Amino acid sequence: MKRVLLSFCLLLTLSSATSVYSQEYERVWGTYFGPAGTELTGYYINQGIVFDSQKNMHIRGHVWHSSIYNTSYYNQFVIGSGSNYITQSNQNNGFTVRFSPSGIPDYFGYFPYLYSNNNTVELLLDIDSQDNTINTQSSTNSSINATPGTWLQTNPQTTINNMIVKRSPTGNVIWATYLPDILINPNVTTDSNGNIYIAGKTLLQNLSTPGVYQENFDLIYSQGNIVANEYLVKLNSNGELIWATYLPSAVAAMEYYDNALYMITTRNTNIALNTMASPGAFQSTVSDFSVTKINTQNGQRVWGTYYGPASAASIYFLYDLAVNETGLYLVGTDYNLNGANIFATSNAYKTQVTGASDLFLTKFSHAGDRQWSTYFGGNGEDFNIFDKVIDLNGPEIFICGTTYGSTNNIATPGSYQDAPQSSTSTSNNSFFAKFNAAGNLDWSSYYGGTSTNTSYLKTINIKYDNNSLFLFGCTNSNTGFTTEGAFMPARNPNNTTANTGFFARLNKKEILSVEDTSKNKDLVLYNNPNNGIFSLSGSILKNMSCVMTIYDMSGKLITKKNLERNKDQKFNLQNLLSSGNYLIQVNNEKGEKLKVFKMTVKK
């Protein structure tokens, strides 16, 4: 009997010891990008990354202007047909960058940080299955008019043109509609049928359609002026109105799933009301944030709940959400000034805030019931107020954040990076982690070197797509963010405390089999240097459909070729390649990087 008990206790011990798994993702490429002052945080693209049909990745951000650098410094980062840096009044610039699946950008261009009398700002929001783009446009003198049949044919504003513009892959306008917004950058998402959902702020009082959540404009005055109302509208793929409703609260984030919009909302715009919680809600006590579910078939509310400590009782931010078949997941930061630890349920992975703040991760059912909630972080200040800080793959939940001043290790053994470069009271370290749908931690890892503390945020965002994790943000660290053959292997300059962008792709380790990995080792480039005639050889070229891409050292795409299924392949590119250095990248049929060669052409 004692032996049975001993065996049972040993089994429990082993089970506990293996409850946190070794990380199954490994980095396949990583690179810096952008000039000093690059930052990815705030309100640029709700999805974090927008993918086109070729799995190119589109990211937006902004650059803090510095008088230390001249225009030519900023323009050296422009790629392809990207626009040059705008120096008007030394204003900050926005930027758009497009990366290939193998981590090489073929476009980087600036746009005005704010519209003005001389500027039109058009920003990518989404790309549909036909590679048509959905964009917002803000200007005072747009050359585009609303197209027939779309939602708003005349501009309801007198000083600004706000529009939604749908363009073909070649950039031609398919349709355009005015927006009623008094501000730029409305919150926009789409569904798989091409319907478009827009949430914004307006003074227009005849916007709604019958039978929706809130038909009437709430007429509120502040110092004699009408207070703008929030609105939510559904357009079809042709820009035609399906329904429109006013909302009693602003929308901080929203995501579509299964004929519903799940939204992080705030407290009532009309402070005399407390209507963000529906009958039987999880929380009826008014707080600074709420959660709302809207039926996308008719624009009616399904349920709503406040979520968080009572207003003025503490400081917290409910920032991002993700939803799939397993439930609704919310993530934010709790500074827990009242010591209530409201975002932890019993038996949570972490039940209380340690240090100045912690992240929290919460699961709700689709019906609005909280199922579990946990804290995560170290003994410093942990936060994640960025663009995309949570994503899902079935029951897998991926989150990310930054820890400042944490001196304890929050990484798990066997993770991608199981220790920070530096762990002091002034250290900034990025991290990412995976939980399962039951609220248990599978693993957590740091990412990259330690950043020097400055007044600008050091951000990290996360995106899951097709067995890959994408990490992107900004840092002023010079180590830990790049791989061999990276597009931009070092920050430029590397002696500044200003941030530089970073981007990385991590694939599941089992994607490349042991057999493929061994074949990859014999992949070679020969005749290097050469005069434009060279060869590739390797067993993997015979057994897989591979692609060769050639870039010059500025990152400009020179050519891209589908390779034959032969072990030895010869290329004559004398007419295409001039004297200089090039990067030759070979990808497998899944778009994964097999090898990068640096080749020198001498003529």
Side-chain angles (χ1 to χ4, degrees), residues 108 177 263 266 288 292 306 389 456 579:
F108 185 100
T177 180
M263 307 187 299
T266 57
D288 290 334
T292 304
Y306 291 104
V389 292
Y456 296 108
S579 295

Short mmCIF file of all heavy atoms in Angstrom, two decimals, residues 108 177 263 266 288 292 306 389 456 579:
data_model
loop_
_atom_site.label_atom_id
_atom_site.label_comp_id
_atom_site.label_asym_id
_atom_site.label_seq_id
_atom_site.Cartn_x
_atom_site.Cartn_y
_atom_site.Cartn_z
N PHE A 108 8.61 50.87 -48.14
CA PHE A 108 8.59 51.67 -46.92
C PHE A 108 8.39 53.11 -47.37
O PHE A 108 9.16 53.63 -48.18
CB PHE A 108 9.90 51.55 -46.14
CG PHE A 108 9.89 52.28 -44.81
CD1 PHE A 108 9.69 51.61 -43.63
CD2 PHE A 108 10.07 53.67 -44.76
CE1 PHE A 108 9.67 52.28 -42.40
CE2 PHE A 108 10.06 54.34 -43.55
CZ PHE A 108 9.86 53.65 -42.36
N THR A 177 -17.27 56.35 -49.88
CA THR A 177 -18.38 56.97 -49.16
C THR A 177 -17.83 57.94 -48.14
O THR A 177 -16.74 57.74 -47.59
CB THR A 177 -19.26 55.92 -48.46
OG1 THR A 177 -20.32 56.58 -47.76
CG2 THR A 177 -18.46 55.10 -47.46
N MET A 263 -17.04 43.89 -28.51
CA MET A 263 -16.39 45.20 -28.44
C MET A 263 -15.97 45.53 -27.01
O MET A 263 -16.69 45.24 -26.06
CB MET A 263 -17.35 46.29 -28.93
CG MET A 263 -17.94 46.02 -30.30
SD MET A 263 -18.91 47.41 -30.96
CE MET A 263 -20.19 47.55 -29.72
N THR A 266 -16.43 51.81 -23.41
CA THR A 266 -16.07 52.57 -22.22
C THR A 266 -17.34 52.89 -21.42
O THR A 266 -18.40 52.33 -21.69
CB THR A 266 -15.33 53.86 -22.61
OG1 THR A 266 -16.16 54.62 -23.50
CG2 THR A 266 -14.03 53.53 -23.34
N ASP A 288 -14.85 52.23 -15.72
CA ASP A 288 -14.34 53.00 -16.86
C ASP A 288 -14.40 52.23 -18.18
O ASP A 288 -14.33 52.83 -19.25
CB ASP A 288 -12.90 53.43 -16.59
CG ASP A 288 -12.82 54.50 -15.52
OD1 ASP A 288 -13.80 55.24 -15.34
OD2 ASP A 288 -11.77 54.59 -14.85
N THR A 292 -19.31 44.77 -24.81
CA THR A 292 -20.60 44.78 -25.48
C THR A 292 -20.59 43.80 -26.64
O THR A 292 -19.62 43.71 -27.38
CB THR A 292 -20.94 46.18 -26.00
OG1 THR A 292 -20.90 47.12 -24.93
CG2 THR A 292 -22.31 46.22 -26.66
N TYR A 306 -20.32 46.03 -17.56
CA TYR A 306 -19.14 46.77 -17.13
C TYR A 306 -18.09 45.75 -16.69
O TYR A 306 -18.42 44.62 -16.31
CB TYR A 306 -19.47 47.70 -15.97
CG TYR A 306 -20.36 48.86 -16.38
CD1 TYR A 306 -21.72 48.87 -16.06
CD2 TYR A 306 -19.84 49.94 -17.08
CE1 TYR A 306 -22.54 49.93 -16.44
CE2 TYR A 306 -20.65 51.00 -17.45
CZ TYR A 306 -21.99 50.99 -17.13
OH TYR A 306 -22.80 52.04 -17.52
N VAL A 389 -2.15 42.91 -28.81
CA VAL A 389 -1.41 42.28 -27.72
C VAL A 389 -2.01 40.93 -27.32
O VAL A 389 -1.58 40.34 -26.35
CB VAL A 389 -1.35 43.21 -26.50
CG1 VAL A 389 -0.48 44.42 -26.81
CG2 VAL A 389 -2.74 43.65 -26.05
N TYR A 456 9.80 57.32 -24.14
CA TYR A 456 8.99 56.69 -25.17
C TYR A 456 8.81 55.21 -24.87
O TYR A 456 9.72 54.52 -24.40
CB TYR A 456 9.64 56.86 -26.55
CG TYR A 456 9.72 58.30 -26.97
CD1 TYR A 456 10.93 58.97 -26.99
CD2 TYR A 456 8.58 58.99 -27.34
CE1 TYR A 456 11.02 60.30 -27.38
CE2 TYR A 456 8.63 60.32 -27.73
CZ TYR A 456 9.86 60.97 -27.75
OH TYR A 456 9.93 62.29 -28.12
N SER A 579 27.54 45.17 -60.94
CA SER A 579 28.53 44.93 -59.90
C SER A 579 28.00 45.39 -58.55
O SER A 579 27.41 46.47 -58.43
CB SER A 579 29.82 45.67 -60.23
OG SER A 579 30.41 45.15 -61.41
#
